[in-house]
Amino acid sequence: MTKLRLHNTLTRAKEDFAPLDASNVRMYVCGPTVYDYAHIGNARPVIVFDVLFRLLRHLYGPGHVTYVRNITDIDDKINARAAEIAASRNIDVEAARAEITAKTAQQFLDDVTALGSLNPTHTPRATDYVAQMVEMTRRLIAEGFAYEADGHVLFEVARKADYGKLARRSLDDMIAGARVDVAPYKKSPMDFVLWKPSDDKTPGWPSPWGRGRPGWHIECSAMGEALLGETFDIHGGGIDLVFPHHENEVAQSEAAHRGHPLARVWLHNGFLQVEGEKMSKSLGNFITINELLKDWPGEVLRFNMLRTHYRQPMDWTVAGMNESWKTLEKWYAVTEPLSDPPVGSAFLAALADDLNTPQAIAELHKGSDHELAGGLGLLGFSNVQERIAARTNVDATAIADAIAARNAARKAKNFAESDRIRDELLAQGILLKDGPEGTTWEVKR
RNA sequence: GGUGACGUGGCGGAGUGGUUACGCAACGGUCUGCAAAACCGUGUACCCCGGUUCAAUUCCGGGCGUCACCUCCA
């Protein structure tokens, strides 16, 4: 069996992957906070970990992998948005929260499905696990890792001797570098919230500490525990989540689990820039998945994402998408539908080497057409028989008629007419290709 | 200020202590009414300065640059 190696953020090294239970490989990835359209940066972990999900299913069997990607529908950014909606439409804030999260979550799922991602095994929403969050918080208080202060429950980082081990920061350094105003009720600036009180205008749930809402970090710990158990195999997310989110997850989960680790392997994808600049709303280069899908097939976006190794910084460009489009056009033209195409060994080895998708793609360029079909299938390009053109708004019948007319003109040596037809199609973005088997066409970018 | 990542040919992008990455673009050829496509072939590289080594793009140290985290963020 192909040996899977993964770069573990905990050890900063590539390690051989050995699941706790090969009959149930368990992976958790931090999902979106649903208050607005997901942007292309959000798509990176979705696509990268979807490829890992597919690879694990290939290696261990489709029924032996459990993948959890949560939906955070309790969050203060959501609450802020819900408050605006509630005020403008004069509706209850909880109703507004439910509406915006339901709508945004569905939009997210539609977007990532268009990117060729499989549905995770479970897509838990925080609101369905508040009881588990309360229970875990209570456990942390009982174990002496958390304290109640001024209506809040806080995790006391000083109680966790190895706090900072994931991000590799010492508590002293972090406190010295703290740049935020410290809430007066905190024992230490680094203590973080497990539970906080809600006023009448803020969504809240009953708890032993009054009506309130969970802190962000406890959401993932509680959902991970509920669906995957105390210790699971892989936890993934963007590199920006290493600190504080994942560090805090580690701290609270281990504290609640008598020291048992949360995840064996931590994977983090690198950041993405747009046309050489960081993506931000102020620069006006904040691009959503939804906007891109209006101009580009999801497969092209997916392929473009996989051309860069997941841990590398990535520059998202139109030039890159054009190149991706071109490559897929070429490949879709040569691959034929096969019921069970073979997966090339060099391709698989590259993929198993810490998800080296650029190397894997290079192997597809080198390999046979059958291996190309198999590789594309494993990477999530399952509809290799479906041309990209089929996803665009072109009239295939009209094009076929035009091609027939052009070929008739060519046969009659009326080249002025045949070239006119060709130029007319080109003006519509349809590029003709004369081959020994006849004339084919593709949509030109 | 602290921590971390990255810097490869025109562009994208793997990888390696000594042997062709790969793709796109470019150039040459075959084919074609022409062009495109397809196919064949060709070229250019490892940020700077030291060190280790028989040999460094690859290891070590320093510098410069870019990005990220330290505060919500994939």
Side-chain angles (χ1 to χ4, degrees):
Chain A
M1 181 166 148
T2 304
K3 187 170 69 175
L4 175 62
R5 289 170 62 78
L6 295 171
H7 178 90
N8 190 350
T9 306
L10 263 177
T11 58
R12 312 283 153 125
K14 254 191 242 184
E15 300 173 349
D16 291 345
F17 177 73
L20 291 160
D21 175 4
S23 70
N24 183 20
V25 182
R26 289 161 289 163
M27 170 165 80
Y28 186 100
V29 174
C30 290
T33 299
V34 284
Y35 68 104
D36 203 351
Y37 285 103
H39 56 70
I40 189 62
N42 295 306
R44 194 169 192 189
V46 170
I47 292 171
V48 162
F49 294 114
D50 181 67
V51 169
L52 179 57
F53 182 38
R54 289 171 185 271
L55 176 62
L56 290 170
R57 286 160 59 95
H58 179 82
L59 296 174
Y60 294 93
H64 300 293
V65 184
T66 304
Y67 173 26
V68 176
R69 186 184 60 211
N70 69 288
I71 284 180
T72 294
D73 60 357
I74 303 175
D75 177 271
D76 283 351
K77 286 193 295 287
I78 296 171
N79 293 341
R81 193 64 63 94
E84 290 172 20
I85 295 170
S88 70
R89 303 226 315 262
N90 197 25
I91 59 172
D92 178 68
V93 70
E94 173 53 29
R97 191 209 58 77
E99 180 186 303
I100 187 176
T101 56
K103 189 176 135 198
T104 311
Q106 188 57 52
Q107 179 65 247
F108 174 80
L109 292 174
D110 290 347
D111 286 347
V112 302
T113 298
L115 294 175
S117 296
L118 298 171
N119 285 132
T121 319
H122 303 287
T123 309
R125 299 180 189 216
T127 43
D128 292 328
Y129 291 84
V130 173
Q132 285 86 342
M133 296 171 204
V134 168
E135 197 282 319
M136 184 177 270
T137 302
R138 189 178 357 219
R139 219 184 311 158
L140 288 169
I141 294 174
E143 299 282 329
F145 287 100
Y147 58 95
E148 189 180 355
D150 201 16
H152 296 66
V153 179
L154 293 135
F155 187 92
E156 188 169 4
V157 294
R159 297 280 180 176
K160 192 78 169 57
D162 58 1
Y163 184 78
K165 67 181 174 184
L166 179 66
R168 300 208 172 178
R169 299 169 196 219
S170 78
L171 210 45
D172 290 346
D173 289 346
M174 288 187 279
I175 292 170
R179 299 191 308 201
V180 270
D181 292 336
V182 179
Y185 47 80
K186 286 188 179 183
K187 287 188 187 177
S188 159
M190 299 314 296
D191 290 351
F192 58 89
V193 170
L194 298 171
W195 189 264
K196 53 188 161 186
S198 291
D199 61 24
D200 293 344
K201 292 176 179 166
T202 308
W205 289 260
S207 83
W209 318 284
R211 181 172 173 278
R213 63 211 132 100
W216 177 36
H217 314 301
I218 195 78
E219 295 183 7
C220 288
S221 282
M223 288 186 275
E225 179 190 83
L227 292 165
L228 296 175
E230 285 193 352
T231 301
F232 46 89
D233 298 297
I234 297 169
H235 192 129
I239 193 157
D240 57 316
L241 294 182
V242 172
F243 192 88
H245 188 231
H246 289 164
E247 190 69 55
N248 291 350
E249 276 188 56
V250 167
Q252 68 204 176
S253 286
E254 289 187 354
H257 297 155
R258 305 170 310 286
H260 295 170
L262 172 54
R264 311 275 297 287
V265 182
W266 287 81
L267 302 180
H268 292 98
N269 62 272
F271 242 60
L272 179 146
Q273 288 184 274
V274 171
E275 303 289 351
E277 290 187 307
K278 74 169 90 172
M279 185 165 54
S280 73
K281 281 179 175 162
S282 58
L283 283 170
N285 61 351
F286 196 89
I287 44 178
T288 65
I289 301 170
N290 199 247
E291 284 167 341
L292 284 170
L293 285 170
K294 289 172 185 165
D295 293 331
W296 305 87
E299 294 93 329
V300 170
L301 304 182
R302 181 181 184 86
F303 187 74
N304 198 236
M305 195 67 84
L306 296 177
R307 290 174 46 205
T308 300
H309 183 84
Y310 77 94
R311 282 192 286 116
Q312 289 288 87
M314 171 173 194
D315 192 11
W316 186 271
T317 64
V318 171
M321 284 187 281
N322 275 319
E323 198 175 318
S324 296
W325 172 293
K326 194 179 246 182
T327 302
L328 280 183
E329 267 285 5
K330 184 174 152 188
W331 280 353
Y332 281 16
V334 299
T335 51
E336 292 171 11
L338 296 170
S339 59
D340 189 20
V343 173
S345 58
F347 166 84
L348 192 59
L351 211 52
D353 181 15
D354 194 31
L355 238 48
N356 193 338
T357 52
Q359 179 74 52
I361 288 168
E363 299 300 341
L364 293 184
H365 280 293
K366 297 178 192 170
S368 71
D369 288 356
H370 281 184
E371 287 173 339
L372 173 58
L376 285 174
L378 182 47
L379 287 176
F381 300 88
S382 51
N383 53 344
V384 287
Q385 68 274 44
E386 182 183 321
R387 302 283 307 273
I388 289 179
R391 304 211 48 201
T392 59
N393 294 318
V394 295
D395 186 343
T397 312
I399 293 170
D401 290 346
I403 288 173
R406 170 171 171 270
N407 283 336
R410 290 173 72 204
K411 200 164 186 177
K413 304 227 184 280
N414 183 357
F415 298 124
E417 173 64 7
S418 67
D419 288 354
R420 187 193 65 76
I421 294 171
R422 184 172 67 198
D423 292 345
E424 191 177 283
L425 287 172
L426 189 59
Q428 296 168 31
I430 306 300
L431 182 69
L432 297 189
K433 303 189 289 189
D434 295 326
E437 309 293 315
T439 302
T440 58
W441 56 274
E442 68 181 41
V443 179
K444 185 182 170 62
R445 293 294 305 190

